[in-house]
């Protein structure tokens, strides 16, 4: 797996140009609506006959589920940022090898709820960590998506949605959701920087619009890429 994260994966050959595979990731701060839009896109693509796999990070494998429990448990306040990064990377590498690569090899469309850009945004931007040491690990183990959809909303709207959602579900904030507004403003700023830097695959979606309008926009973007 030698392809750099900064380059989209390339699976097509002259004999398979008509076969469909695409790796699409959904990014954004909490309660941005990305998961809802992922599920809506899955439904529309399946209606059109595409072979779709939906997955997530962290937690897209059995091992990843265990890692997810550690990462999101609000009681794990002693988890240091550097260890947090390594747990995300362990989940990601397991997920790529066990789920994502096999699915792409079978010409499936993979829709992933969060991926490597989330680490760059949350741990690099939010935690303000220098992640330059990840470059060798990225080069060796991390493949790039073909398309990344960044669902952008204000931190204030994110917090309001999060509060309403958790109240309706009668749950508390997870460990990361409990961070303050300054943290999430840094995360959002890092997503904006990544979008500007990686505009060939990174598309900003105005996530404060109504669900139906966003759904139509997302579907058009993806179908245009598939065509």
């Amino acid at each position: 797996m030698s392809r750099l994260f900064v380059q989209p994966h390339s699976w097509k050959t002259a004999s398979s140009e008509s076969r469909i595979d695409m790796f699409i990731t959904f990014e954004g701060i909490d309660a941005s609506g990305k998961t809802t839009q992922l599920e809506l896109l899955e439904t529309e693509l399946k209606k059109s006959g595409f072979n779709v796999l939906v997955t997530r990070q962290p937690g897209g494998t059995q091992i990843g589920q265990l890692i997810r429990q550690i990462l999101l448990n609000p009681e794990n306040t002693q988890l240091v940022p550097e260890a947090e990064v390594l747990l995300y990377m362990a989940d990601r590498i397991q997920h790529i090898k066990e789920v994502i690569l096999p699915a792409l090899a079978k010409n499936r469309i993979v829709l992933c709820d969060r991926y490597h850009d989330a680490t760059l945004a949350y741990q690099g931007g939010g935690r303000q960590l220098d992640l330059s040491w990840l470059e060798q690990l990225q080069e060796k183990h991390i493949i790039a998506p073909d398309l990344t959809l960044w669902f952008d909303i204000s931190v204030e709207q994110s917090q309001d949605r999060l509060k309403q959602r958790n109240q309706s579900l009668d749950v508390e904030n997870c460990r990361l959701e409990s961070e303050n507004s300054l943290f999430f403003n840094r995360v959002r700023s890092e997503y904006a920087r990544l979008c500007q830097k990686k505009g060939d695959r990174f598309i900003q979606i105005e996530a404060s619009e109504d669900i139906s309008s966003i759904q139509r926009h997302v579907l058009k973007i993806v179908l245009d890429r598939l065509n």
Side-chain angles (χ1 to χ4, degrees), residues 119-129 131 183 186-187 190:
T119 294
L120 301 179
Y122 275 77
Q123 282 67 52
R127 300 274 188 238
Q128 297 182 295
L129 295 178
L131 298 182
F183 173 87
R186 291 195 298 267
V187 173
E190 183 62 16

Side-chain angles (χ1 to χ4, degrees), residues 15-166:
S15 61
S16 64
E17 287 180 348
S18 62
R19 302 170 70 181
I20 294 296
D21 66 69
M22 182 173 282
F23 181 23
I24 306 173
T25 56
F26 291 66
E27 297 284 357
I29 59 176
D30 297 87
S32 61
K34 60 181 176 51
T35 303
T36 297
Q37 292 299 327
L38 185 153
E39 293 170 351
L40 291 171
L41 179 62
E42 175 195 15
T43 299
E44 292 301 318
L45 290 177
K46 285 183 174 179
K47 282 181 183 178
S48 298
F50 291 103
N51 190 351
V52 181
L53 171 71
V54 167
T55 189
R56 68 176 182 177
Q57 288 188 2
T61 64
Q62 186 174 0
I63 291 172
Q65 287 282 9
L66 299 175
I67 296 174
R68 183 183 180 88
Q69 291 174 18
I70 296 171
L71 286 166
L72 301 188
N73 189 336
E75 296 181 2
N76 291 338
T77 56
Q78 71 276 27
L79 183 62
V80 299
E82 293 81 5
E84 180 182 77
V85 172
L86 290 172
L87 284 171
Y88 276 111
M89 294 303 293
D91 165 84
R92 186 158 301 126
I93 293 169
Q94 180 73 29
H95 189 216
I96 289 169
K97 292 189 175 183
E98 183 179 336
V99 176
I100 296 174
L101 284 176
L104 293 172
K106 294 178 181 177
N107 298 291
R108 303 185 74 178
I109 297 174
V110 177
L111 308 180
C112 189
D113 193 339
R114 296 202 189 283
Y115 187 61
H116 193 63
D117 292 303
T119 294
L120 301 179
Y122 275 77
Q123 282 67 52
R127 300 274 188 238
Q128 297 182 295
L129 295 178
D130 179 3
L131 298 182
S132 59
W133 58 274
L134 280 181
E135 291 176 2
Q136 289 186 340
L137 196 60
Q138 289 172 184
E139 182 175 351
K140 186 174 182 181
H141 294 289
I142 307 301
I143 64 169
D146 296 294
L147 175 64
T148 296
L149 301 174
W150 168 39
F151 294 83
D152 181 35
I153 57 172
S154 70
V155 171
E156 292 75 20
Q157 189 171 9
S158 167
Q159 295 297 307
D160 288 343
R161 287 184 181 183
L162 191 61
K163 182 179 180 180
Q164 293 174 16
R165 185 189 73 187
N166 288 354

Side-chain angles (χ1 to χ4, degrees), residues 154-205:
S154 70
V155 171
E156 292 75 20
Q157 189 171 9
S158 167
Q159 295 297 307
D160 288 343
R161 287 184 181 183
L162 191 61
K163 182 179 180 180
Q164 293 174 16
R165 185 189 73 187
N166 288 354
Q167 284 180 345
S168 67
L169 297 174
D170 193 25
V171 297
E172 297 181 357
N173 285 344
C174 73
R175 193 175 63 87
L176 284 171
E177 290 170 348
S178 300
E179 294 290 343
N180 60 35
S181 295
L182 290 175
F183 173 87
F184 286 108
N185 273 309
R186 291 195 298 267
V187 173
R188 186 187 181 200
S189 294
E190 183 62 16
Y191 271 128
R193 190 190 71 81
L194 291 169
C195 186
Q196 184 176 21
K197 180 181 178 181
K198 304 178 181 184
D200 56 329
R201 68 167 174 88
F202 225 105
I203 296 180
Q204 180 179 2
I205 306 292

Side-chain angles (χ1 to χ4, degrees), residues 4-17:
L4 289 169
F5 177 68
V6 295
Q7 297 295 332
H9 86 269
S10 179
W11 295 85
K12 300 289 188 284
T13 65
S15 61
S16 64
E17 287 180 348

